[in-house]
Amino acid sequence: MASPTSGEREKVTSKLPGQLRARVKIRAAEHQFDMQDVVTQALQAWQQAGSQAVVDTSGAPPFSTWLPLGVYDTFKAHCADRKVSYIQGLAQALELWLADHPSPQEEHVATPHPRRRIMANQKGGVGKTALTAGVGQAYAEGTEHDGPARRVLMVDFDPQGHLTTQLGVDNLALDSDSLVKHMTGEAKGDLADLIVPIEDERFGDRLYLLPACADGFVLDVKLSTIRAREAALERALEPVEEGFDVIVVDCPPSLGLSMDSAIYYGRRRDEEKTGASGVVIPVQAEDSSADAFTLLTGQIEDLRQDMRLEIDYLGLVVNMYDSRRGFIATSSLQAWEDIGDPAVVAVVPDRKEQREAVRSKQGLLVYDPKCDQAAAMRQIARTLS
């Protein structure tokens, strides 16, 4: 609600998650902005940006600020058009403002390396493939608000080949060259020859896939026989790195040597800034994801200590979330948010569009670029920019 005052502004009262409010307050101070000006900018940008990812606002405490006359009325009209609550619209707007105003303390340092996002969780069915495809597309798409379009390579490191199939590409034949053969020194050609474009006008000539091959099912056995096996994935991908700004790796549901190699590939290299590359962990709001998370982080910590590596957690993505599933879902989401480090960078709603995109063998941002899940993928790309 808004109450008019005698000046040029009116007091607006709403609700806002405490953690989001704290982040905005800190970022506003870093940029020397007044909070009421931040909210004004955020609401106006949100109205121009289109659909955004859903923000969890359950239990949000009251929040108030002063806005120029008419700003809040216009905002409420846009909320009605988008069928979102005023609280949800405000939260989305401020998340968008944060993405558009990165901290001066976190400015990117140019390096000769692509940014590497390792999508990892040994539990199957948590959405690693959907996240790899969606975020890869979001990076390649680029918009005024989501940042510049990037050259992206998606690596299907899972021998089941779900990413490859989902994008309408054939898996590599067993008797052909493959990523596995390049990792184990058995390849006869160049890895670049295996990479295929994902063609759509949304992505220009910027989105590519390294398809899967079923020989990945024996990768752990083969890695056990080679030297410096943790660096095998890096050695294989290094010849093509210079052609890409971002490399997104869809990992298999495994805790074996192949996962060691993927985690090692995502380590922070000497020239890189903290958070430039690292591990993204898709989870679901249910108990078995928590058990899997403990196993994966244990493996990462072992590699950190044994090899003295710097491995950054880029964040948790709570996938296929639906609060209508009741206490298990809502309490699990709260438990993920309570971890704090790694932080929950997005909550992706459970919607039919992702399943329909898979069935149609199209990327989500091609099949339905305006759906809630597509907006969530763009939010993740912004957050992990």
Side-chain angles (χ1 to χ4, degrees):
M1 58 175 287
S3 56
T5 68
S6 58
E8 295 291 328
R9 292 178 178 264
E10 58 185 351
K11 185 177 182 180
V12 172
T13 301
S14 183
K15 292 183 178 180
L16 192 65
Q19 186 181 56
L20 175 56
R21 180 178 182 176
R23 288 164 54 210
V24 173
K25 185 175 181 180
I26 293 171
R27 193 69 53 81
E30 289 178 331
H31 287 279
Q32 298 183 333
F33 289 156
D34 187 273
M35 190 69 167
Q36 59 190 13
D37 293 331
V38 167
V39 176
T40 301
Q41 293 173 15
L43 296 184
Q44 293 171 340
W46 178 81
Q47 293 162 25
Q48 298 295 321
S51 179
Q52 297 293 306
V54 175
V55 179
D56 180 37
T57 60
S58 57
F63 168 78
S64 63
T65 189
W66 298 85
L67 299 179
L69 292 173
V71 167
Y72 200 59
D73 288 338
T74 303
F75 164 72
K76 289 191 293 184
H78 279 81
C79 287
D81 290 341
R82 298 187 195 184
K83 297 181 173 59
V84 300
S85 68
Y86 305 154
I87 298 170
Q88 179 64 214
L90 174 61
Q92 290 182 10
L94 288 172
E95 287 284 6
L96 180 62
W97 186 89
L98 285 168
D100 287 343
H101 295 80
S103 170
Q105 306 301 319
E106 299 175 358
E107 294 180 353
H108 297 316
V109 176
T111 75
H113 310 298
R115 297 176 182 276
R116 301 170 308 288
R117 280 82 178 91
I118 312 302
M119 304 297 182
N121 191 329
Q122 87 283 359
K123 184 180 186 300
V126 295
K128 294 186 293 294
T129 298
L131 189 60
T132 299
V135 172
Q137 292 166 66
Y139 278 129
E141 179 187 55
T143 69
E144 176 184 355
H145 293 287
D146 296 338
R150 296 171 172 86
R151 299 167 297 166
V152 180
L153 174 63
M154 299 176 292
V155 178
D156 195 344
F157 196 39
D158 185 347
Q160 298 174 90
H162 295 315
L163 177 63
T164 302
T165 302
Q166 176 177 324
L167 294 174
V169 177
D170 292 332
N171 283 263
L172 298 171
L174 276 171
D175 58 354
S176 71
D177 267 356
S178 66
L179 175 59
V180 168
K181 290 184 176 66
H182 280 270
M183 291 176 66
T184 58
E186 303 169 279
K188 298 177 181 178
D190 294 332
L191 186 71
D193 295 335
L194 306 179
I195 295 173
V196 297
I198 304 300
E199 297 179 348
D200 188 272
E201 62 182 9
R202 302 186 71 87
F203 313 127
D205 187 27
R206 298 182 297 271
L207 186 62
Y208 292 82
L209 171 71
L210 177 55
C213 181
D215 61 359
F217 284 113
V218 296
L219 177 57
D220 280 2
V221 174
K222 291 188 174 184
L223 286 177
S224 67
T225 66
I226 66 174
R227 298 180 62 184
R229 54 180 175 259
E230 290 84 4
L233 180 59
E234 182 166 319
R235 289 196 299 269
L237 293 176
E238 188 175 21
V240 301
E241 282 190 348
E242 66 179 2
F244 300 99
D245 302 308
V246 181
I247 295 180
V248 189
V249 181
D250 183 20
C251 292
S254 166
L255 288 175
L257 298 178
S258 55
M259 182 59 69
D260 281 348
S261 187
I263 295 169
Y264 181 90
Y265 184 59
R267 80 194 188 285
R268 191 193 317 159
R269 298 177 182 176
D270 290 342
E271 304 90 342
E272 287 184 308
K273 189 178 179 68
T274 301
S277 297
V279 180
V280 181
I281 307 177
V283 298
Q284 290 182 335
E286 41 78 33
D287 294 340
S288 61
S289 279
D291 296 335
F293 171 77
T294 300
L295 292 172
L296 176 61
T297 54
Q299 182 174 9
I300 293 173
E301 293 308 314
D302 286 345
L303 276 174
R304 270 178 165 174
Q305 295 176 18
D306 294 346
M307 302 189 70
R308 298 186 178 182
L309 303 177
E310 296 290 346
I311 302 171
D312 295 326
Y313 292 103
L314 300 183
L316 299 171
V317 175
V318 182
N319 207 7
M320 295 176 280
Y321 178 73
D322 187 346
S323 61
R324 294 174 298 180
R325 292 180 181 140
F327 176 73
I328 294 296
T330 57
S331 61
S332 294
L333 175 59
Q334 186 61 55
W336 289 124
E337 292 177 333
D338 288 345
I339 290 174
D341 185 15
V344 173
V345 296
V347 178
V348 182
D350 188 7
R351 299 287 189 271
K352 62 182 177 63
E353 287 81 7
Q354 176 64 53
R355 293 184 287 274
E356 292 172 349
V358 172
R359 176 65 63 87
S360 67
K361 297 189 184 303
Q362 290 182 289
L364 176 65
L365 272 66
V366 174
Y367 178 78
D368 192 343
K370 296 183 178 180
C371 70
D372 290 344
Q373 290 171 319
M377 296 304 170
R378 295 186 183 101
Q379 177 194 326
I380 296 166
R382 287 196 304 267
T383 304
L384 306 181
S385 62

